[in-house]
Amino acid sequence: MKKRIIVPIIAVGIFFTTVSFKSDFFEIAKQIEIFTTLFKELNMNYVDEVTPATLMDKAIKGMLEDLDPYTVYWNEQQVEDAKINNSGIYTGIGATAQSRKDKIIIVEPYKDYPADKAGLKAGDEIVKIGNVNIADLEDDAGELLKGAPGSTVEVTYKRQGKTATATITRGAVDLKAVPFYKLINNDIGYIVLSQFNRKTTIETKAALVDLKSQGAKKIILDLRGNPGGLLNEAINVVNLFVDKGEVITTTKSAIEKYNQTYKTKSDPVDTEIPLVVLVNGRSASASEIVSGGLQDLDRAVIVGARSFGKGLVQRPKKLTYGTQLKVTISRYYTPSGRCIQALDYWHRDENGDPIRKDAKEYNAFKTKGGRTVYDGGGILPDVELKSAVFSPITTALLKDNAIFDFATKYYYSHQMTDWKNFKFTEADFQDFLKFLKDNNFEYETDTEKKFAEGLKISEDDDMSKDISASYNQLMTAIDKAKDKAIIDKKVEIESLLTDEILKRYFYREGLYNYQIEHNPEILEAVAVLNDAGRYGKILK
């Protein structure tokens, strides 16, 4: 009798699954057909000329907009750019650049690479490449800077109001995952890990082995500002410090094949050497897998500020004509079971913004040794420092390029020959405040957004005239509070200004050498490592 009951139930399950699949397939086919006919009619009948590729790009972006920001469409060029980022090697001018309206800004020329050899500086505004005015281009003008090794490109740029030209000879550019490492205080190895590409583990291991040979008895691994990259490289970096067979992260998805457990597979370099990992609000993805794994296994003390909180894993999926969809396939979890995702993209507020999990809602987990750690908001350091924090005002200053532009102004108005003598003074900070006012720097707080919404609603209720005076007084008070916020976050802002200014004079090598002696997070890491009792107490 039991068999007669079970078989029909299974059959019904198969029936409903099949019907569901066919229903989804029909709905997809239906929507594609609607879109295709709309796209055709639009191109044939619209009053002005339209570009099909541009329309399609916008349509795809619109379709993905309500998902998480990491599920994106890549055209052929973006696919190639992703390959370059993962390999760390490409041919070009050897500079980080940012496209702005009608120009390309040189953000950072790499020392001894083509752009640097041609005399370009951070802050230079490229307005013409060859005979092409950037203002006349709709596509990414940066593509014109790429070319075969040994080929040349002439650029016209503006610097401090003056126009000049430079001829750049393109060459191979090798972006190191470990751009700097050094033995400090005779027994502490300091390693900067800037990205997770295919060379990350090899370079990190080589730096670690070399530092140990020089006498390093303790290690600082600097992941600040590291946006992440390849998942397997993150696992392998942790493996340098922990035994084979340890679970570093698990991924969970609605799709069974993406549910995986990632363990260390190789023999470690050193499982005993005291280790401090530095993180901040721009440490994300693979950086959080490394810091979270080492924290949960009680293998390292984490110092700095709460990390970004990107608990999602993406995978590129090939489409036609060399394009790809980079799609979020799963969430990842640290060894203790934490999902450190800070923003909930699947539940949004009335403005359509993803909801940030409240600290009161964080769940507690236990590390391997029994310490309490929490989920929901990135990796919380064992030792927190204000200098490493990215508050809303600091983030706004970065987004508006205020810190970058002030550093450009500073560079052309100050002489400096030795990083050892540099100090960002109170007078410099006052100059920065004046610079913000002169350039009408503004940013909108969440408080302002809410009050603006309230004023708009009052218009619908015919109450705006009655409350407009009070509203204006309130906005004046908020402006004063924002001015005060800049003063209150002086430590954060000065740290970022110092970093940006030093890169202008001494490149990243000079910046890292300066930080070793002056940066509060590195100094705190050294203090923790030099106090064996404190180090052990934190981990126990």
Side-chain angles (χ1 to χ4, degrees):
M1 289 296 292
K2 288 182 179 179
K3 287 185 179 179
R4 291 181 182 177
I5 296 172
I6 293 172
V7 172
I9 291 173
I10 294 173
V12 169
I14 294 172
F15 172 76
F16 278 118
T17 302
T18 305
V19 170
S20 175
F21 173 77
K22 286 184 176 179
S23 175
D24 288 344
F25 183 79
F26 171 74
E27 186 62 26
I28 291 170
K30 172 185 172 183
Q31 297 302 326
I32 289 175
E33 186 176 354
I34 292 171
F35 180 81
T36 303
T37 54
L38 181 150
F39 194 54
K40 176 183 174 182
E41 295 298 332
L42 184 65
N43 275 283
M44 290 176 63
N45 297 294
Y46 189 68
V47 62
D48 293 322
E49 184 178 351
V50 293
T51 306
T54 302
L55 283 178
M56 184 58 74
D57 272 352
K58 291 181 178 179
I60 292 172
K61 289 176 181 176
M63 178 173 62
L64 301 177
E65 191 173 8
D66 285 339
L67 305 177
D68 65 90
Y70 314 109
T71 296
V72 294
Y73 166 73
W74 283 341
N75 60 31
E76 301 96 317
Q77 187 54 55
Q78 289 167 321
V79 170
E80 290 303 311
D81 290 342
K83 290 178 181 178
I84 289 169
N85 287 336
N86 287 337
S87 70
I89 301 174
Y90 71 98
T91 299
I93 67 169
T96 303
Q98 181 186 80
S99 293
R100 298 189 198 173
K101 186 179 179 181
D102 300 340
K103 57 194 173 186
I104 294 176
I105 306 295
I106 297 296
V107 175
E108 181 184 358
Y110 305 136
K111 185 178 181 181
D112 296 331
Y113 279 109
D116 182 42
K117 290 180 179 179
L120 292 181
K121 302 287 185 182
D124 287 348
E125 304 174 0
I126 298 177
V127 294
K128 190 176 181 180
I129 301 174
N131 295 320
V132 179
N133 290 314
I134 293 176
D136 297 334
L137 284 178
E138 290 185 5
D139 298 327
D140 182 9
E143 294 303 310
L144 298 176
L145 295 173
K146 298 177 182 178
S151 63
T152 61
V153 58
E154 185 178 80
V155 298
T156 302
Y157 63 94
K158 291 183 179 179
R159 176 187 295 172
Q160 299 295 288
K162 297 180 180 179
T163 300
T165 61
T167 299
I168 307 173
T169 302
R170 302 180 181 96
V173 180
D174 184 3
L175 297 178
K176 291 186 176 296
V178 177
F180 183 87
Y181 71 90
K182 186 175 183 178
L183 185 71
I184 58 179
N185 295 359
N186 298 318
D187 65 345
I188 297 177
Y190 173 67
I191 303 173
V192 177
L193 181 47
S194 63
Q195 59 184 307
F196 287 86
N197 59 31
R198 292 191 181 96
K199 302 183 297 178
T200 295
T201 305
I202 293 173
E203 291 184 13
T204 307
K205 182 177 181 179
L208 177 60
V209 170
D210 188 19
L211 288 167
K212 283 170 62 69
S213 72
Q214 293 181 46
K217 300 292 190 295
K218 311 152 194 172
I219 295 293
I220 299 171
L221 184 63
D222 193 343
L223 296 177
R224 292 174 300 169
N226 186 321
L230 300 177
L231 172 61
N232 286 333
E233 291 294 320
I235 307 301
N236 294 336
V237 167
V238 177
N239 197 173
L240 298 175
F241 301 99
V242 304
D243 287 319
K244 182 193 298 186
E246 289 280 5
V247 173
I248 305 304
T249 190
T250 56
T251 57
K252 297 180 183 180
S253 172
I255 302 170
E256 183 65 30
K257 68 178 180 179
Y258 295 139
N259 295 332
Q260 296 187 35
T261 298
Y262 293 85
K263 297 182 180 181
T264 51
K265 297 179 179 179
S266 305
D267 293 325
V269 173
D270 195 327
T271 62
E272 300 295 331
I273 192 167
L275 176 65
V276 167
V277 178
L278 301 180
V279 296
N280 64 11
R282 290 189 291 175
S283 304
S285 190
S287 295
E288 295 173 300
I289 290 174
V290 171
S291 53
L294 291 169
Q295 186 179 51
D296 281 6
L297 296 173
D298 300 301
R299 181 61 190 87
V301 171
I302 313 300
V303 172
R306 188 183 290 278
S307 65
F308 181 80
K310 181 178 179 284
L312 302 172
V313 179
Q314 288 73 44
R315 180 169 294 180
K317 293 292 182 179
K318 291 183 179 179
L319 306 176
T320 55
Y321 298 102
T323 62
Q324 287 185 2
L325 171 68
K326 185 170 75 105
V327 58
T328 295
I329 59 170
S330 58
R331 290 182 176 86
Y332 69 79
Y333 297 78
T334 67
S336 68
R338 291 184 288 167
C339 179
I340 52 85
Q341 185 180 333
L343 295 175
D344 184 354
Y345 299 102
W346 291 267
H347 297 89
R348 296 174 181 261
D349 60 22
E350 60 273 15
N351 298 316
D353 297 322
I355 296 172
R356 180 175 291 276
K357 194 172 182 180
D358 190 276
K360 296 177 182 178
E361 300 173 350
Y362 293 165
N363 299 304
F365 294 80
K366 293 295 182 181
T367 68
K368 190 175 184 179
R371 295 188 299 147
T372 301
V373 288
Y374 297 91
D375 68 354
I379 302 300
L380 180 66
D382 302 304
V383 180
E384 295 184 84
L385 295 175
K386 289 183 178 180
S387 57
V389 173
F390 286 84
S391 61
I393 179 65
T394 305
T395 302
L397 289 167
L398 289 168
K399 187 176 180 180
D400 197 57
N401 297 302
I403 287 175
F404 179 85
D405 290 342
F406 179 79
T408 301
K409 175 179 176 292
Y410 186 99
Y411 178 77
Y412 290 107
S413 58
H414 293 75
Q415 295 293 322
M416 195 187 315
T417 57
D418 189 349
W419 56 264
K420 294 180 180 179
N421 298 324
F422 176 72
K423 179 175 175 56
F424 194 80
T425 65
E426 177 61 29
D428 292 331
F429 187 72
Q430 293 302 318
D431 284 345
F432 176 67
L433 296 180
K434 183 177 183 299
F435 175 82
L436 295 182
K437 291 188 181 299
D438 291 344
N439 288 274
N440 299 314
F441 169 73
E442 293 182 357
Y443 77 103
E444 188 177 37
T445 64
D446 289 337
T447 303
E448 286 173 291
K449 290 178 183 178
K450 296 295 183 184
F451 281 126
E453 290 167 17
L455 183 65
K456 192 171 184 179
I457 293 171
S458 73
E459 292 174 357
D460 297 334
D461 295 337
D462 294 327
M463 298 172 59
S464 60
K465 290 182 179 179
D466 297 328
I467 66 173
S468 60
S470 297
Y471 175 81
N472 291 334
Q473 289 178 348
L474 191 60
M475 289 301 102
T476 300
I478 289 176
D479 286 340
K480 290 181 179 179
K482 288 198 296 186
D483 289 341
K484 183 177 181 296
I486 295 178
I487 305 299
D488 291 342
K489 302 303 179 183
K490 181 180 176 182
V491 173
E492 296 174 32
I493 295 168
E494 283 189 340
S495 179
L496 290 169
L497 284 166
T498 296
D499 291 353
E500 189 61 47
I501 288 169
L502 284 169
K503 280 192 298 183
R504 304 302 175 93
Y505 295 91
F506 310 111
Y507 304 91
R508 285 192 174 265
E509 183 179 1
L511 168 62
Y512 295 137
N513 275 305
Y514 178 88
Q515 287 190 338
I516 284 171
E517 296 188 12
H518 300 280
N519 180 261
E521 296 100 89
I522 296 176
L523 295 177
E524 183 65 19
V526 170
V528 170
L529 288 171
N530 283 337
D531 188 340
R534 183 186 177 196
Y535 179 87
K537 186 177 180 180
I538 291 172
L539 293 181
K540 293 180 182 179

